[in-house]
Amino acid sequence: MVSFEQSLPERFRAQVRKHPQRLAIEAGNRALSYAELEGAVNAVLGVLHAQADGRAQRVVLLVDQGIPAVIATLGVLSAGAAYVPLDPTLPAARLRELVEEVEPAWIIANECHLALARSVHADPRRALCIEAIASGGGAPVPEIAIAPGALAYIYFTSGSTGKPKGVCDSHRNVLHNIWRYTKNLHFDAEDRMTLLQAPHFSGAVSSMFGALLNGAACFPYDVRREGLEAMGDWLRAKRITIFHAVPAIFREALAGGDFPALRCMRLEGDRASRRDIDLFRRHCAAGAILANGLGATECGLVRQWRIDATTPVPDGPVPIGDAVDDMQVRLLDERGQDVPEGEIGEIAVRSRYLALGYWRRPELTASRFLADPDEPALRTYLSGDLGRMLPDGTLQYLGRKDLQPKIRGQWVDTDAVERVLLGFDGVREAVVSIGQDPDREPRLVAYLVPRPEAELRVEPIRRHALAQLPVAMVPASWVLMQALPLNANLKVDRAALPAPASGDAPIFVAPRNALERQIEAIWSEVLGLDAIGIDDDLFALGADSIHVTRARNRLIGAFSVDLPFVTFFDRPSIAGLADEIECRLRA
């Protein structure tokens, strides 16, 4: 019988006793056994234990991906404190706000972030360097008793739907989540697990503890520093067996070559496509498994759909799977009632292992974590995600509720629209989002990335969509892009998608390089527009001789080239002006 009435450090130390010389973690040219990792963790524990002053212990981490981040995390937990990982690339003012909100006893930072840590804490003396601590050793310290219900961490969400929220969780709940993760991926001590998520993303929890609480090896990889181009070679060189990533990273990593050692790929955090399944089957061994799942910081792993080389794949969105232990999923309408089978509803998770709530936001906690009238130990978490249950009991994920449009009062399945657009020859990627027409009514906007060498035109794509979709589901605006914007976790950054230009231009082509972006920024400011396509006629958008004078002066100042006034009438577009400026810069 698995017990969750323990702490995370207890489970980690059990693996140390069982596998002291087994590889625990490796990054770059450094590798630590379980015994060596415990020694470094004890050094952190010793410093925090010696400095304890009786106040509630929360420790902020300002650390980059790597071995020091894992040491700091386990050290804080072993000291009976809760860790609060923050993104060191945030502006100092924003970090200061978060630190003041959390009121940490200490900040532990990489050496390169130590000055930043000192600047954002009210007491600079409470900033510690993880590299100095971990290399210093120290006297043995007693193990600290930690209650299973004690606070383990506070993870601040990305804030994609508003102000970031600090999600709090306990040792008990994290252990249950790792048990679900372990059971569904069949972890064992021989596995070699990726740790790709930055420390301030909650996805790091399942990767880090999934490995280290099972006696497996953990392999951190800093995507921002190392890049995606080298990841495929790295996966092969390290003989990775379990790869956990968002779909965007998965696609880049598996694009080059085969991966015979990979036995399981875990996708989470964004919608997977049929093309991802094809990529998996093309480059991985016949016995490998692709696990597409649903999880959230507030509830951990909720659903998991496992496929192999022969699993039938239904039409439509790739399912996010079958039920996992102790996590019941319901789909609710706006009145909180269950929707009929096949209808779209908000995903609600009922369990006794949900997050504790949001840090110092009791009203938000009460609105998102609902008490159960029949069972006091259970609560229901309203996820804000939309889904649809299939007749066989598998769940389809349809995106964020606040990002899905309603047309004439009905949810529009944007995934279905994207699927149709991806079926058009020449379209490599497609995202459909919500916008507004001139009367402020909702409309669909399609963002398309063409395949290499393909030339897309809007009318053939629109006819293709009309032949397969109701009129209300055919996008009203079309934006052609060289690439979709991605956020720090390499999910599609919908907030960064450009607004379509006003006017009757049939298709909006976003700037393709730094020169076009700089010219577009100047003209957008001069004309007071949100965005301008590179082929849009500037005069059709309202430019006159005064606007030309203002833009000309700024362009001359920015690029130090002579631009005759007549140039703007001969080449009245961003693309035309970019060509002209490039020619003059080369002359």
Side-chain angles (χ1 to χ4, degrees):
M1 179 69 179
V2 178
S3 172
F4 309 110
E5 299 305 305
Q6 294 179 290
S7 70
L8 292 161
E10 283 182 85
R11 284 290 183 89
F12 167 66
R13 293 184 190 281
Q15 295 301 323
V16 175
R17 292 190 294 269
K18 189 175 182 180
H19 310 289
Q21 302 310 315
R22 188 184 294 275
L23 175 66
I25 188 166
E26 180 178 327
N29 58 3
R30 187 183 181 195
L32 298 179
S33 68
Y34 270 84
E36 291 168 333
L37 177 57
E38 183 188 40
V41 168
N42 284 342
V44 178
L45 166 59
V47 169
L48 294 179
H49 185 264
Q51 301 293 340
D53 55 8
R55 73 173 72 187
Q57 293 291 298
R58 292 174 297 280
V59 180
V60 161
L61 304 183
L62 285 179
V63 289
D64 296 323
Q65 181 65 278
I67 293 177
V70 174
I71 293 171
T73 301
L74 288 170
V76 170
L77 290 170
S78 298
Y83 70 97
V84 188
L86 300 179
D87 183 357
T89 67
L90 287 174
R94 180 64 185 130
L95 280 174
R96 194 172 295 110
E97 290 176 2
L98 292 171
V99 169
E100 290 174 356
E101 182 178 344
V102 170
E103 295 183 305
W106 300 93
I107 296 181
I108 295 180
N110 292 125
E111 185 176 7
C112 60
H113 300 311
L114 194 56
L116 174 63
R118 289 170 176 158
S119 73
V120 299
H121 199 290
D123 184 353
R125 295 170 298 179
R126 290 186 170 271
L128 306 173
C129 175
I130 181 58
E131 287 88 353
I133 296 173
S135 63
V141 294
E143 291 187 23
I144 296 174
I146 303 167
L151 180 65
Y153 59 60
I154 303 173
Y155 271 93
F156 280 89
T157 64
S158 62
S160 59
T161 59
K163 179 184 176 182
K165 306 175 291 291
V167 181
C168 307
D169 218 340
S170 68
H171 290 255
R172 178 189 294 112
N173 290 342
V174 177
L175 283 173
H176 192 278
N177 183 41
I178 299 305
W179 174 72
R180 301 193 302 269
Y181 192 76
T182 299
K183 186 175 180 181
N184 280 275
L185 298 190
H186 304 303
F187 256 114
D188 66 35
E190 300 299 323
D191 276 312
R192 299 164 71 87
M193 173 79 192
T194 59
L195 176 54
L196 306 181
Q197 302 88 346
H200 57 278
F201 285 109
S202 63
V205 171
S206 52
S207 293
M208 175 173 55
F209 292 121
L212 297 178
L213 301 189
N214 283 294
C218 179
F219 289 80
Y221 184 93
D222 192 328
V223 176
R224 286 191 290 196
R225 185 175 62 238
E226 304 295 337
L228 289 174
E229 297 80 7
M231 186 177 290
D233 291 337
W234 175 79
L235 291 170
R236 281 185 287 268
K238 299 302 180 184
R239 306 187 310 283
I240 298 298
T241 62
I242 302 182
F243 177 37
H244 181 171
V246 296
I249 295 180
F250 168 84
R251 292 163 196 152
E252 292 292 332
L254 264 68
D258 295 332
F259 299 87
L262 276 177
R263 71 165 188 83
C264 182
M265 278 120 287
R266 169 82 167 90
L267 298 184
E268 189 180 46
D270 215 342
R271 283 184 285 184
S273 70
R274 181 61 182 262
R275 293 181 182 181
D276 295 325
I277 296 175
D278 294 340
L279 188 66
F280 151 68
R281 287 175 168 171
R282 187 161 59 247
H283 293 294
C284 297
I289 295 294
L290 178 67
N292 188 47
L294 172 68
T297 311
E298 289 88 343
C299 55
L301 177 66
V302 175
R303 306 281 290 196
Q304 187 102 299
W305 193 61
R306 294 160 51 89
I307 66 169
D308 60 21
T310 61
T311 304
V313 181
D315 293 333
V318 177
I320 52 174
D322 305 308
V324 299
D325 295 78
D326 303 324
M327 309 298 283
Q328 178 189 359
V329 169
R330 298 170 61 196
L331 298 180
L332 306 179
D333 62 22
E334 293 182 338
R335 299 169 298 168
Q337 302 299 310
D338 292 284
V339 301
E341 182 183 286
E343 297 294 321
I344 297 173
E346 180 178 3
I347 298 172
V349 184
R350 183 173 181 262
S351 176
R352 65 182 68 241
Y353 297 104
L354 302 177
L356 302 178
Y358 299 111
W359 177 251
R360 292 181 175 173
R361 298 181 71 176
E363 292 182 358
L364 180 62
T365 298
S367 69
R368 298 286 294 277
F369 293 88
L370 309 182
D372 194 291
D374 301 318
E375 179 61 57
L378 296 174
R379 291 176 298 153
T380 295
Y381 165 60
L382 302 179
S383 70
D385 291 318
L386 294 177
R388 177 169 47 214
M389 198 71 71
L390 300 180
D392 63 359
T394 58
L395 180 66
Q396 289 182 331
Y397 173 69
L398 302 175
R400 292 292 303 172
K401 180 179 178 180
D402 44 18
L403 295 177
Q404 294 298 308
K406 267 191 169 183
I407 305 294
R408 301 189 185 102
Q410 297 294 318
W411 293 116
V412 172
D413 182 355
T414 55
D415 190 88
V417 183
E418 291 169 4
R419 208 161 56 247
V420 167
L421 299 181
L422 286 168
F424 185 84
D425 188 38
V427 174
R428 179 185 177 188
E429 295 182 82
V431 168
V432 174
S433 188
I434 185 70
Q436 290 183 336
D437 65 17
D439 296 322
R440 307 188 71 81
E441 291 295 321
R443 65 172 176 177
L444 296 180
V445 182
Y447 297 86
L448 305 176
V449 176
R451 291 182 180 275
E453 311 302 325
E455 293 187 11
L456 297 181
R457 294 290 182 268
V458 66
E459 283 309 317
I461 301 175
R462 182 182 283 123
R463 288 195 299 270
H464 170 79
L466 280 168
Q468 302 180 60
L469 296 168
V471 173
M473 292 177 63
V474 175
S477 297
W478 305 77
V479 181
L480 184 64
M481 306 184 73
Q482 193 172 37
L484 295 174
L486 303 177
N487 61 22
N489 209 22
L490 296 188
K491 301 179 188 178
V492 175
D493 188 352
R494 292 176 180 268
L497 291 168
S502 58
D504 297 323
I507 196 162
F508 175 98
V509 183
R512 300 162 295 184
N513 52 49
L515 175 61
E516 290 179 350
R517 284 192 291 271
Q518 195 167 355
I519 298 170
E520 189 272 346
I522 289 172
W523 269 108
S524 291
E525 185 173 339
V526 167
L527 293 176
L529 298 174
D530 291 332
I532 300 173
I534 62 171
D535 296 324
D536 293 344
D537 188 307
L538 296 168
F539 294 102
L541 296 177
D544 57 23
S545 58
I546 296 177
H547 293 124
V548 169
T549 301
R550 291 174 182 166
R552 176 175 179 268
N553 291 338
R554 293 187 58 181
L555 290 168
I556 289 173
F559 300 106
S560 301
V561 295
D562 180 37
L563 287 173
F565 203 82
V566 70
T567 302
F568 294 82
F569 295 88
D570 292 338
R571 314 198 73 170
S573 68
I574 303 298
L577 291 172
D579 288 342
E580 184 69 21
I581 290 172
E582 273 193 331
C583 290
R584 291 177 180 271
L585 287 173
R586 288 196 298 265

